[in-house]
Amino acid sequence: MEGEFISKYHKQLDVGANQCSSTLTKRIKAPIDIVWSLVRSFDQPQKYKPFVSECTLTEDFKVGTLREVNVRSGLPATTSTERLELLDDEEHIFSVRIMGGDHRLRNYSSKITAHPETIDGRPGTLLIESFIVDVPDGNTTEDTFYFVQSLINCNHNCLAEVSEKIALHNQNSEQTSLVDG
Ligand code: A8S
């Protein structure tokens, strides 16, 4: 299934000679509704992205809207201006493009899809994220892969942690309400 989803949703058609592109997956032990509600919060990426300190929208939350993201210190970046390209709550597709900011990732765009999956007999989620970006001057393709993939892996791990915490909390309150009758 994973391969099918990747070829259906994550085929990068035009990867230029000075660009790099890749697809990462993460299995999360939480139902898709919980994971999706975090992924789709274009206005609050700090709910799960550990490097984001603040985010403000320039207009109402809709496709085409820009957000100004402030990045925590310690990274080679301070701000990023990003546009919501696609939000499909039925098919669970979310795509963002970086328009500018104080950092080195030019022409970055990413797409996330989420797919329900049973993990250890419980409702879980398969998350797939692909990206494409220019290789910055003075860097190799390998450096760029490594840099971007590390950031995305951190985001995925935190997304899993937050989602799994909410799922566990929901399970516990369901049990309590069963007992309370
Ligand atoms: C995302 C993915 C990435 C974010 C990168 C790759 C970024 O926010 C950080 C450091 C940078 O140097 C670039 O979906 C930028 O968050 C953490 C500011 C864009």
Side-chain angles (χ1 to χ4, degrees), residues 49 51 71 75-77 80 98 103 105 108 147 151 155:
K49 290 189 179 188
F51 302 116
V71 177
L75 288 159
S80 179
I98 295 185
H103 60 77
L105 299 183
Y108 181 93
F147 178 67
L151 294 175
N155 286 343

Side-chain angles (χ1 to χ4, degrees), residues 4 8 29 41-42 84:
E4 271 171 45
K8 182 164 179 198
K29 292 180 184 173
S41 353
F42 179 73
L84 180 59

Side-chain angles (χ1 to χ4, degrees), residues 100-165:
D102 170 40
H103 60 77
R104 303 196 64 219
L105 299 183
R106 297 288 152 255
N107 293 318
Y108 181 93
S109 100
S110 74
K111 192 186 207 183
I112 298 179
T113 61
H115 313 271
E117 210 180 55
T118 303
I119 305 176
D120 300 338
R122 287 190 166 279
T125 304
L126 168 64
L127 192 87
I128 308 177
E129 177 159 6
S130 54
F131 71 86
I132 182 166
V133 66
D134 292 359
V135 175
D137 284 344
N139 287 95
T140 63
T141 308
E142 230 184 6
D143 292 337
T144 312
F145 269 126
Y146 184 78
F147 178 67
V148 175
Q149 292 193 356
S150 319
L151 294 175
I152 293 181
N153 282 331
C154 287
N155 286 343
H156 287 183
N157 289 338
C158 285
L159 176 64
E161 207 173 289
V162 176
S163 307
E164 287 165 9
K165 216 175 254 175

